[in-house]
Amino acid sequence: MSLNIAIQKTSKKGFVLIAKRMLEEGTTIEVAPAITISSEERARLIDAKIFQYLFVNPHESAASPNSLGYLVLGLMTLCSHSDEPNAKVFWNESGGVFFASIKALRSIAQGEEITVFYTNINEYPNRQQFIDRKSTRLNSSHT
């Protein structure tokens, strides 16, 4: 596991990602490969639990409502949604493989939950469960 992040279980949200140390603005928190999911497959998964772990590329999503999905093979899938996130996902492609990297948009305190803006939050059937208006500092132990 990264020196920067840890998984923590909360009673409200389940598993979340937190900073293990102070992260400065611009810090790359994680880089992970992603599996491309076709728009047809993504549509079939909307009611499946795995849907909450799929990402969309905001540039593709803005261009087409039938955009591809990405199953990121990393811990960033545990980031909660926030309208005022402290991190952002960036997309790169290399040799036919897509990679997602998450970077701090501002300083993130040790123990603070890492949050991102879910581009496709309106597609979530139970979206209220994922909406967190403000980042949360978590004080219990890490796993």
Side-chain angles (χ1 to χ4, degrees), residues 42 51 54-65 67-68 70 79-83 85 87-91 116-124 127:
R42 201 166 71 82
F51 186 80
L54 293 180
F55 287 68
V56 295
N57 183 324
H59 301 293
E60 292 173 5
S61 183
S64 168
S67 60
L68 299 173
Y70 299 93
C79 290
S80 297
H81 168 80
S82 177
D83 286 342
K88 182 177 180 178
V89 178
F90 294 87
W91 298 94
V116 297
F117 181 84
Y118 289 13
T119 301
N120 62 331
I121 190 68
N122 291 330
E123 294 179 340
Y124 282 59
R127 67 183 145 269

Side-chain angles (χ1 to χ4, degrees), residues 91-139:
W91 298 94
N92 296 304
E93 186 262 330
S94 177
V97 178
F98 281 91
F99 290 89
S101 44
I102 186 169
K103 295 184 181 187
L105 291 174
R106 60 166 176 78
S107 293
I108 301 172
Q110 179 178 354
E112 184 177 350
E113 182 179 354
I114 299 169
T115 60
V116 297
F117 181 84
Y118 289 13
T119 301
N120 62 331
I121 190 68
N122 291 330
E123 294 179 340
Y124 282 59
N126 52 350
R127 67 183 145 269
Q128 283 308 118
Q129 168 184 338
F130 296 93
I131 295 176
D132 177 23
R133 299 284 176 211
K134 297 197 187 292
S135 297
T136 311
R137 184 179 304 271
L138 304 169
N139 296 316

Side-chain angles (χ1 to χ4, degrees), residues 18-20 28 39-40 46 53 66 82 95 99-100 129 138 142:
I18 62 165
K20 285 174 52 176
T28 298
S39 59
E40 294 80 16
I46 200 162
Y53 299 103
N66 297 319
S82 177
F99 290 89
Q129 168 184 338
L138 304 169
H142 312 158

Side-chain angles (χ1 to χ4, degrees), residues 71-87:
L71 180 58
V72 177
L73 304 175
L75 297 177
M76 70 182 78
T77 60
L78 299 175
C79 290
S80 297
H81 168 80
S82 177
D83 286 342
E84 298 176 17
N86 55 21

